[in-house]
Amino acid sequence: MISTIALFWALCVVCLVNMARYFSSLRSLLAVLRGCDPLLYQYVDGAGFFTSHGQPSKQVRLVRYIWERRYHDHHDDEFIRRCERVRGQFVLTSGLCFLVVVSLIAMAIWQ
């Protein structure tokens, strides 16, 4: 029989791998954004996005921009494709993180 602890750790590993994919896609989205729309790049603090002195309010602007699908009116097809990919990975990673938290709580109650 499969151990629930081993299954939990496998779920955690899958979640971490998807988080790494999400951040990598977000980084490549910012690189494309720098070239195709410099004003939006500055608006979401593209240069300081992954630094310790990054501004969380500007980072939330990019998440809101992608979540509300405001990129559909953009002129660059590459940027639109990358935004779709980042949005899909964000939904997947959020769901996996929620599943990890729920399974952790279930394991704490069960044990």
Side-chain angles (χ1 to χ4, degrees):
M1 189 159 157
I2 297 175
S3 170
T4 56
I5 294 174
L7 191 61
F8 172 74
W9 284 111
L11 183 62
C12 287
V13 168
V14 169
C15 186
L16 287 174
V17 167
N18 277 304
M19 286 174 83
R21 288 180 61 221
Y22 168 69
F23 287 126
S24 174
S25 294
L26 191 59
R27 187 177 293 274
S28 67
L29 174 71
L30 288 171
V32 169
L33 184 60
R34 184 183 327 132
C36 71
D37 198 347
L39 290 176
L40 182 60
Y41 181 77
Q42 286 182 337
Y43 182 70
V44 298
D45 193 25
F49 199 84
F50 287 107
T51 61
S52 60
H53 63 276
Q55 298 176 3
S57 63
K58 288 187 174 185
Q59 294 168 351
V60 169
R61 286 180 189 167
L62 181 62
V63 172
R64 194 173 301 140
Y65 181 83
I66 292 172
W67 185 253
E68 294 173 356
R69 294 183 176 171
R70 284 190 252 157
Y71 52 84
H72 282 296
D73 297 331
H74 205 272
H75 65 276
D76 192 3
D77 293 333
E78 176 74 18
F79 178 69
I80 293 171
R81 279 193 305 273
R82 292 204 188 238
C83 284
E84 284 291 329
R85 180 179 175 156
V86 166
R87 187 177 191 282
Q89 287 179 342
F90 177 73
V91 170
L92 176 68
T93 302
S94 298
L96 283 171
C97 288
F98 177 74
L99 189 60
V100 165
V101 169
V102 166
S103 62
L104 182 64
I105 292 170
M107 283 178 42
I109 292 172
W110 194 349
Q111 299 291 334

